[in-house]
Amino acid sequence: MASARGDIFVQNDSAFEGKNNKDKMWTACFAAFSAALATVNFGYALGFTAEAELSEQFNSNNSAIDLSMLNGNSSKGFSMCDPDFDIFASVVALGALVGGLLAGILIDKIGRKTTIISTTIFYFLGWVLIANSYCYYGKHGGIGDPEFCRKHSKQWYYSMLYCGRVITGIGVGMSSLVVPVYIAEIASARMRGALGNINQLSINFGFVVAYMTGYKQNLPTTAYVPIGISILNLILMVFFLPETPRYLLANNRRHDAILALYWLRGPDYPVEEECFEIEGHVNFGTQDQWQWKDLKSSTFYWPLFIALSLMFFQEFSGINCILFYCSSIFLASGIGARVKPEDLVNSKKILEALKNDSKLYALFVCSTLFIFTGISCFLVDRYGRRKLLLSGSVGMFISLIPVSVYVYHYQFNMKQIIDFLSKQENTTYAILALVCILSFIAMFSIGWGPLPWLLMSELFPIKTRGIATAIVTFSNWLFVFTTTSSFCKVIYGIHIYGTLWTFAIIVVMGFFFTLFFVPETQGRPLEEVAELFIRRNLLQVSIPWTRHDAL
């Protein structure tokens, strides 16, 4: 459609294309990375989950596998899960549900910057409780002296651990909402894709840091690392970073918005023109708070449908199940197994080799997650959102099929494992299955990892952005809780290979949803993205939206 506001975009886009009008990159990058320290903590909380799976506190899952294998009584419905670890893994999502709703309210009431600052409070309190919860391990220690530790039962410390996870989860939920919005609103249109992916890159970096610090260190020590990250995040946000210009203009603080734009873009950039462009839409849509009638608008319910669906396909692709339980999956299914021929006569040496390999390969998974998310930062503004989502879906599906076939043929008692691994071709298949798992992680990191969060921050008009992103974030963490809490039950019912087939089917559904419903937002100002949905009905497909000039 053509409109007066659309004409503003055309005029300003051409004005911004001047050779000397490029925005200063380093300040926007500094602001994005500084704000993303909150999502480093987010990733650390998730990585801490996978790290805890290998600890003393949650080791009965591996013990169950060991016992069943050694006794030769295991079947394709073996137990690989510990009830306490299931709670530990999923309870953070309950806190994130609350945090997402809370942040949806706060970003409009106190601003994006102050909301990020408030996440540090929850992170600090939560991690202190988690560090203290390991007090009953005499050789590991904790906060307080040994005499204090002996005054309380193990169950008391478990309660402290779960409370810490819930409080940390509130910070995680708040970060998952506010950081993408903050980065999207400070970035220029030409940099928004790359800077938006910093959010997911930081999550994955936190995951890698958590796993690598916990690989050799004990859990209480690693619980103090995110406290330091929170303090650094607090200092940078309070003393160095501005509020977003769009929030400032929406709250009639034009002078502060101009100063923020000068800080972000530099003195040679046409700040007044960008401010005028934003003002035209902010004044048009955000003089008042959102009202219930705004939720009936196509600029709200259509982007909400897209964003919710993207989050569904992201989480039900099985990514968190694979990340949280990757060591147990590798151990139990023999993926990547490398056993020396002379060790095949010794059951304990086989188990030891499988355990060591599973820990090492979990590090490979973390590193792949981080590296390919970084690559995605360079691809998203070159190839667009849709192409990366579609190609990611294809790559994930192709990667899952060989893994599920391999796991189907793998045996689960020691005698059969010895026979299986004694054949050289089966060892080769185990390595190929590992490569396919890493390929799945890589393709997820390029597309379905960062882009649903990026699109969430782009699709909604500023007037309803707070309530909309709160709903989407709440739903995302509901999906996380559902998948992680039910993963073991699903494995008991349809085994690992059946679960992987289910993930593959959902990935295919995500491909067709992206093909027919997800618009391309590459290079568009945020205000123009909202206009894509004006007068669009629910059954219209997104193929015409791939053209940059289609409105």
Side-chain angles (χ1 to χ4, degrees):
M1 62 174 281
S3 68
R5 297 193 301 277
D7 295 338
I8 290 175
F9 289 125
V10 174
Q11 179 181 353
N12 285 351
D13 284 345
S14 61
F16 292 165
E17 287 174 0
K19 187 174 181 180
N20 298 322
N21 288 338
K22 287 187 177 180
D23 49 325
K24 189 168 56 175
M25 293 183 60
W26 76 266
T27 49
C29 290
F30 173 75
F33 277 108
S34 299
L37 284 173
T39 48
V40 172
N41 239 326
F42 168 178
Y44 199 100
L46 299 186
F48 193 79
T49 305
E51 170 195 330
E53 186 194 15
L54 303 176
S55 72
E56 297 182 39
Q57 191 161 0
F58 303 108
N59 68 349
S60 63
N61 52 338
N62 289 345
S63 298
I65 297 172
D66 295 353
L67 185 61
S68 60
M69 286 180 172
L70 289 173
N71 292 337
N73 297 325
S74 183
S75 68
K76 291 197 173 186
F78 69 90
S79 172
M80 59 172 282
C81 301
D82 181 274
D84 289 324
F85 180 75
D86 290 347
I87 298 174
F88 180 84
S90 58
V91 75
V92 68
L94 295 180
L97 291 173
V98 177
L101 294 177
L102 180 61
I105 298 171
L106 293 181
I107 62 170
D108 288 332
K109 295 293 185 182
I110 64 176
R112 283 66 163 148
K113 174 182 174 178
T114 309
T115 304
I116 294 177
I117 292 172
S118 64
T119 64
T120 61
I121 300 173
F122 294 100
Y123 282 134
F124 183 87
L125 293 176
W127 284 113
V128 166
L129 284 174
I130 291 171
N132 196 24
S133 69
Y134 293 92
C135 188
Y136 61 84
Y137 281 132
K139 66 177 182 179
H140 286 318
I143 300 176
D145 56 70
E147 288 297 325
F148 172 80
C149 294
R150 283 193 286 268
K151 292 180 180 178
H152 301 280
S153 65
K154 184 174 182 178
Q155 193 60 44
W156 191 89
Y157 288 110
Y158 264 117
S159 300
M160 184 182 294
L161 173 67
Y162 297 145
C163 286
R165 287 285 283 178
V166 171
I167 295 173
T168 303
I170 295 175
V172 166
M174 294 176 67
S175 301
S176 65
L177 184 150
V178 66
V179 173
V181 172
Y182 181 88
I183 293 176
E185 292 189 359
I186 64 169
S188 61
R190 74 183 184 96
M191 294 179 62
R192 195 173 65 243
L195 292 183
N197 274 16
I198 289 175
N199 175 61
Q200 186 68 27
L201 184 68
S202 299
I203 295 172
N204 295 342
F205 179 71
F207 197 100
V208 172
V209 171
Y211 207 96
M212 294 189 71
T213 55
Y215 191 66
K216 295 295 183 182
Q217 301 294 323
N218 56 63
L219 286 179
T221 300
T222 61
Y224 291 109
V225 174
I227 295 176
I229 296 173
S230 299
I231 293 172
L232 178 59
N233 187 209
L234 177 66
I235 293 172
L236 292 175
M237 292 302 301
V238 170
F239 296 106
F240 295 99
L241 301 190
E243 181 56 86
T244 70
R246 285 173 172 82
Y247 174 80
L248 294 171
L249 288 171
N251 287 272
N252 300 314
R253 296 167 59 184
R254 192 178 194 279
H255 177 69
D256 292 336
I258 290 289
L259 293 178
L261 282 171
Y262 269 118
W263 189 90
L264 290 166
R265 306 285 188 261
D268 298 328
Y269 190 81
V271 167
E272 285 286 351
E273 291 185 35
E274 182 174 356
C275 187
F276 173 74
E277 176 187 340
I278 297 172
E279 261 183 325
H281 295 272
V282 167
N283 291 338
F284 178 80
T286 59
Q287 287 178 336
D288 302 314
Q289 295 292 322
W290 68 270
Q291 300 175 355
W292 287 107
K293 65 178 181 180
D294 297 320
L295 307 188
K296 301 178 181 178
S297 168
S298 62
T299 60
F300 176 82
Y301 64 74
W302 182 239
L304 182 66
F305 168 70
I306 293 173
L308 288 175
S309 299
L310 288 174
M311 292 300 182
F312 172 84
F313 291 120
Q314 180 194 63
E315 297 305 330
F316 281 85
S317 69
I319 184 63
N320 281 324
C321 298
I322 292 175
L323 291 178
F324 287 1
Y325 293 91
C326 59
S327 296
S328 288
I329 292 174
F330 289 153
L331 173 61
S333 59
I335 292 176
R338 301 174 302 169
V339 181
K340 297 178 181 179
E342 59 269 23
D343 290 339
L344 288 173
V345 296
N346 190 318
S347 299
K348 290 185 177 180
K349 285 189 176 182
I350 293 176
L351 283 174
E352 184 179 353
L354 291 175
K355 280 185 177 181
N356 292 335
D357 285 344
S358 67
K359 293 179 182 180
L360 178 63
Y361 296 150
L363 281 177
F364 290 175
V365 167
C366 296
S367 301
T368 303
L369 193 69
F370 176 70
I371 291 170
F372 280 87
T373 302
I375 293 174
S376 177
C377 292
F378 298 99
L379 299 178
V380 65
D381 280 326
R382 183 171 182 177
Y383 297 104
R385 285 64 162 156
R386 280 170 50 84
K387 288 181 180 178
L388 293 186
L389 285 172
L390 292 171
S391 59
S393 297
V394 173
M396 290 163 66
F397 176 78
I398 293 174
S399 300
L400 283 174
I401 299 306
V403 179
S404 61
V405 172
Y406 166 80
V407 174
Y408 177 79
H409 289 92
Y410 187 76
Q411 303 301 321
F412 292 93
N413 66 64
M414 187 54 64
K415 183 179 182 303
Q416 292 172 322
I417 289 174
I418 293 173
D419 294 338
F420 184 86
L421 295 178
S422 62
K423 299 177 181 179
Q424 181 60 41
E425 62 270 23
N426 288 337
T427 303
T428 303
Y429 295 150
I431 298 297
L432 288 176
L434 170 66
V435 172
C436 288
I437 285 286
L438 297 181
S439 174
F440 172 84
I441 297 295
M443 298 308 297
F444 174 86
S445 301
I446 287 176
W448 285 95
L451 295 184
W453 294 106
L454 175 60
L455 285 164
M456 179 195 75
S457 67
E458 293 178 327
L459 294 176
F460 299 100
I462 192 171
K463 186 173 184 179
T464 56
R465 191 169 295 157
I467 181 64
T469 52
I471 294 172
V472 174
T473 304
F474 178 89
S475 301
N476 175 272
W477 288 107
L478 184 61
F479 298 151
V480 172
F481 177 77
T482 302
T483 54
T484 54
S485 62
S486 62
F487 180 62
C488 289
K489 297 181 180 67
V490 173
I491 285 179
Y492 292 154
I494 60 176
H495 200 266
I496 297 179
Y497 60 82
T499 307
L500 293 176
W501 268 107
T502 303
F503 293 156
I505 292 171
I506 293 173
V507 166
V508 172
M509 294 169 59
F511 173 87
F512 286 105
F513 177 84
T514 302
L515 182 64
F516 292 113
F517 293 103
V518 178
E520 183 56 74
T521 60
Q522 177 189 7
R524 296 179 182 271
L526 289 178
E527 291 73 24
E528 185 180 354
V529 172
E531 291 198 352
L532 289 171
F533 302 101
I534 295 177
R535 298 177 186 174
R536 293 265 175 187
N537 65 65
L538 200 61
L539 298 180
Q540 284 182 295
V541 300
S542 64
I543 294 176
W545 286 343
T546 60
R547 300 195 307 270
H548 182 75
D549 59 346
L551 286 176

